[in-house]
Amino acid sequence: MEPNNKLCDSKTSNGSINTTKYHIQKDGDTYQNLPTQTITSRKKKRRDKSDLGENFVAPDGGWGWIVALASGLNSLVAYAAAQQFGIIFQGYIAELEITSSQLTMIINTQIAISELTGLVNGPVFRRFSFRQVGLMGSVLQFAGLFACAFSKSFQFFMLSYSWCYGIGRSFITAASALAVNTYFKKKRRAATSYQFGVAGLGPIVMPLLATYLLKTVGVRDTILCFAALSLNTFAGSLAFQPAQWHVKKHGNDPNALGRLNVTEKVENSSRINDSGVLQNSEHNDQDGERLGDTSSTEKENGYNYSLRLITKEQKYNNYQGTSTNTHNVGESDGDSDSGEKPKKSYITRIVIFFDLDLFRDLTYVNLVFGLTLVNFVEINFVVLTPFILSDFGFSLNQVALAMSLMGFTDLVMRFLVPPITSKMKMGNMALFAAGLLGMAIGRLFLAYTTNVYIMIAIFLWLGVSKAFRTVFWALILPGHVSLKRLPAAVGIQRVLAGTFSLACGPVIGIIRDKTSYADVLHFLNGLILLALFMWLLEYLIRKRRGEQAFGKEDCV
């Protein structure tokens, strides 16, 4: 008996599509012929582009290595203008007659905007892919730097550099990090090391490039050159191809992945209700979408059908259940509306929109608390290092030598981290804590050092510890939260870190005015020890309860 596979679509006056049910054949038999019912399909829900599904398997190689290098290039270029701000804009700021307080406001606003933009990471990455976000960030960054070259006032400089460039840099950084974490899982440690290794070339190469351009072409053309250089992030973001394009095939069957995708499409678009009737709830009468290979299709009324890729087991399971997307026979619209969920409150919508329910996870809260302290300590130490060494009596050349050696050691160690740690049975959290502890020990000895050779040895040690801290810092949150929630988790952490830095930054100045830079170093170390203590405390409590702390992927 031939199956009755008729499907009739018609548009109503309000633009919705009326779709009728049709029957399918199972094992040579046909389901009972029931009266056909017309239903109205609802508006198709927008796909969450950050949700790759529970069965997604990271490629862990292949094109992913290109993505890792492109992410490092994006970070190198995106931070170039910010890191060399003093070199590039020093003369230009003087020409515009911008005061010191206004200059401080420009710098701090750019940092604050970059951090606070992280709050919208969750909604943005649900709507757009990391490739699209990276391209948007590249355009904003270029527009901001290009406008800076023609700025004639403090207000315009704030708009172009602090806002436009700051938002663009934030988008590029977030997209680059998410791309690497999506492409890698088992080899995420190595990929992150190479990513930050490429990015580490920036502080070494860019100062030389900025100085050369200023001497050769002048201030305004140097700004335009850096604006043009920022367009490299556009090319880098284009390399962020969807990870699904590079997922490995299942087994030896090259068509396995294709069948999986088609089967999922069929399951999403069609359901069998308890009457044995197959309903297509999202059929589009314009594209005539195929549901299988063309060799088994039957053309009827201009539509192509093939259900051979649905296994008998899937048919049986679907036949046993009742579709949640269909109305029962004789059910009115009023009955259907009464079964809908109650509307969410305004506060609940905000919580869901910004993924603020992450704060229900106490481990996440503890991690964010510690990372916020670490961010505050490391930023202040980098900024204050020249002032600290000068206050300790070291010459400018000695300070430059120490910082250069630390930067070079840091860069080399970033590439050596994967082979060094591959034989270690230590998780990312333990290695990150080791890097933080190494930095704290270096600062402790630095507080009592006046000998130049000991000072240089300390900075070599700091370079090694900094490499471990930088590489494993980027692996802490990805090891705890899922890829779907990673953009929001990282964004919230950045917002809190920026807010904490703005609120507690003056405390460093007060300690320096009341005491000395040695006590400032002790204060910074105290914050690091507080973060390590909180993490250790949670680890011990969970270990005593027989639970695992800091995520299942900690040892990846």
Side-chain angles (χ1 to χ4, degrees):
M1 181 177 180
E2 292 296 327
N4 181 14
N5 279 350
K6 283 191 175 182
L7 176 68
C8 299
D9 287 354
S10 61
K11 291 188 177 180
T12 60
S13 58
N14 59 3
S16 62
I17 300 176
N18 289 337
T19 306
T20 61
K21 299 177 181 179
Y22 55 91
H23 303 284
I24 68 169
Q25 181 176 352
K26 179 186 178 186
D27 298 335
D29 298 326
T30 305
Y31 292 115
Q32 292 182 354
N33 210 356
L34 295 178
T36 303
Q37 178 201 359
T38 301
I39 66 168
T40 302
S41 62
R42 296 183 180 181
K43 184 179 180 181
K44 185 176 180 180
K45 186 178 181 181
R46 181 174 290 165
R47 185 172 69 89
D48 184 350
K49 295 190 177 181
S50 65
D51 186 7
L52 300 179
E54 297 179 357
N55 298 324
F56 172 75
V57 179
D60 269 319
W63 187 259
W65 297 115
I66 302 298
V67 171
L69 294 178
S71 298
L73 175 65
N74 280 3
S75 298
L76 186 155
V77 176
Y79 282 92
Q83 291 172 341
Q84 313 311 319
F85 181 85
I87 297 177
I88 299 173
F89 293 98
Q90 184 176 6
Y92 194 61
I93 291 294
E95 291 180 8
L96 297 178
E97 297 182 352
I98 293 178
T99 64
S100 298
S101 60
Q102 290 175 332
L103 176 61
T104 304
M105 184 178 296
I106 290 173
I107 297 174
N108 289 331
T109 302
Q110 187 271 137
I111 296 174
I113 292 298
S114 297
E115 299 294 340
L116 294 176
T117 305
L119 186 62
V120 300
N121 275 1
V124 167
F125 282 99
R126 283 197 295 269
R127 178 65 182 88
F128 304 101
S129 66
F130 46 70
R131 183 193 232 180
Q132 293 170 323
V133 175
L135 294 176
M136 286 190 296
S138 177
V139 172
L140 286 172
Q141 180 180 246
F142 168 75
L145 291 177
F146 185 83
C148 284
F150 303 97
S151 177
K152 296 296 183 181
S153 64
F154 163 73
Q155 292 80 5
F156 190 80
F157 207 94
M158 279 280 292
L159 179 64
S160 59
Y161 179 79
S162 299
W163 284 85
C164 195
Y165 168 75
I167 295 175
R169 181 168 69 85
S170 177
F171 281 167
I172 292 172
T173 304
S176 300
L178 182 60
V180 172
N181 285 302
T182 302
Y183 268 87
F184 292 92
K185 184 177 181 181
K186 295 181 179 179
K187 299 180 181 179
R188 188 176 288 171
R189 182 180 295 179
T192 305
S193 298
Y194 298 144
Q195 174 193 2
F196 283 101
V198 174
L201 293 171
I204 298 176
V205 176
M206 290 303 167
L208 302 177
L209 177 62
T211 303
Y212 172 77
L213 290 175
L214 285 172
K215 293 179 180 179
T216 306
V217 299
V219 176
R220 177 165 294 177
D221 289 338
T222 298
I223 299 174
L224 292 175
C225 287
F226 269 79
L229 182 66
S230 70
L231 287 177
N232 284 282
T233 58
F234 197 91
S237 298
L238 285 176
F240 297 162
Q241 298 179 357
Q244 297 92 325
W245 293 5
H246 303 277
V247 173
K248 297 178 182 179
K249 302 292 188 298
H250 297 272
N252 297 323
D253 188 354
N255 297 321
L257 182 62
R259 288 204 304 270
L260 176 62
N261 291 337
V262 174
T263 303
E264 289 176 350
K265 182 180 290 188
V266 172
E267 290 177 339
N268 290 334
S269 61
S270 304
R271 295 291 185 271
I272 303 177
N273 66 8
D274 55 351
S275 300
V277 180
L278 180 65
Q279 173 186 327
N280 187 337
S281 61
E282 294 178 1
H283 184 80
N284 189 334
D285 59 339
Q286 294 180 349
D287 55 18
E289 182 177 76
R290 293 181 183 270
L291 300 179
D293 52 76
T294 55
S295 61
S296 61
T297 58
E298 293 182 5
K299 298 182 179 180
E300 189 168 335
N301 295 335
Y303 298 104
N304 298 321
Y305 303 97
S306 175
L307 302 174
R308 290 189 178 183
L309 293 182
I310 303 180
T311 64
K312 295 181 180 180
E313 181 180 357
Q314 288 171 323
K315 291 180 183 178
Y316 180 76
N317 291 337
N318 286 336
Y319 176 71
Q320 296 299 318
T322 302
S323 172
T324 58
N325 297 327
T326 62
H327 297 294
N328 293 327
V329 177
E331 184 182 43
S332 64
D333 292 340
D335 294 333
S336 127
D337 292 337
S338 62
E340 293 181 354
K341 295 181 179 179
K343 292 185 178 180
K344 300 180 179 66
S345 65
Y346 184 73
I347 297 178
T348 304
R349 291 181 179 180
I350 293 178
V351 170
I352 295 175
F353 186 76
F354 292 108
D355 287 289
L356 299 181
D357 55 327
L358 282 166
F359 287 107
R360 296 178 180 176
D361 184 354
L362 296 182
T363 298
Y364 172 76
V365 173
N366 193 18
L367 287 174
V368 167
F369 171 76
L371 291 175
T372 299
L373 296 181
V374 171
N375 181 80
F376 178 78
V377 169
E378 298 305 327
I379 288 181
N380 280 278
F381 179 67
V382 169
V383 173
L384 295 176
T385 295
F387 300 97
I388 293 173
L389 295 180
S390 298
D391 190 65
F392 288 173
F394 297 106
S395 66
L396 185 61
N397 291 333
Q398 291 172 339
V399 173
L401 176 62
M403 297 188 68
S404 299
L405 289 175
M406 182 178 70
F408 178 76
T409 307
D410 176 26
L411 176 63
V412 172
M413 286 301 301
R414 291 186 188 189
F415 288 101
L416 295 179
V417 163
I420 291 175
T421 59
S422 60
K423 303 299 181 182
M424 296 181 180
K425 295 182 179 181
M426 298 177 64
N428 296 331
M429 194 69 188
L431 292 169
F432 178 57
L436 293 178
L437 193 59
M439 294 285 290
I441 293 174
R443 284 190 291 264
L444 177 63
F445 282 98
L446 182 63
Y448 301 101
T449 299
T450 55
N451 184 282
V452 62
Y453 297 105
I454 297 178
M455 184 267 292
I456 290 176
I458 291 173
F459 271 80
L460 289 173
W461 168 260
L462 288 173
V464 175
S465 302
K466 184 181 178 182
F468 278 82
R469 184 263 295 170
T470 302
V471 170
F472 293 101
W473 190 339
L475 299 174
I476 300 304
L477 288 181
H480 179 69
V481 301
S482 63
L483 277 176
K484 180 180 179 180
R485 312 204 73 182
L486 182 59
V490 175
I492 291 173
Q493 189 274 320
R494 290 182 58 187
V495 170
L496 295 178
T499 304
F500 184 84
S501 296
L502 290 176
C504 300
V507 175
I508 301 295
I510 295 174
I511 295 176
R512 169 62 185 91
D513 294 337
K514 298 294 183 180
T515 56
S516 64
Y517 274 121
D519 291 321
V520 170
L521 292 176
H522 295 323
F523 175 73
L524 296 178
N525 281 345
L527 295 180
I528 292 294
L529 293 178
L530 175 61
L532 293 176
F533 172 76
M534 294 299 296
W535 293 338
L536 178 62
L537 182 63
E538 179 178 351
Y539 173 79
L540 295 176
I541 293 175
R542 291 191 178 275
K543 185 177 180 180
R544 184 179 180 86
R545 294 178 178 177
E547 301 174 356
Q548 185 175 13
F550 307 123
K552 297 179 180 180
E553 301 178 44
D554 187 46
C555 295
V556 174

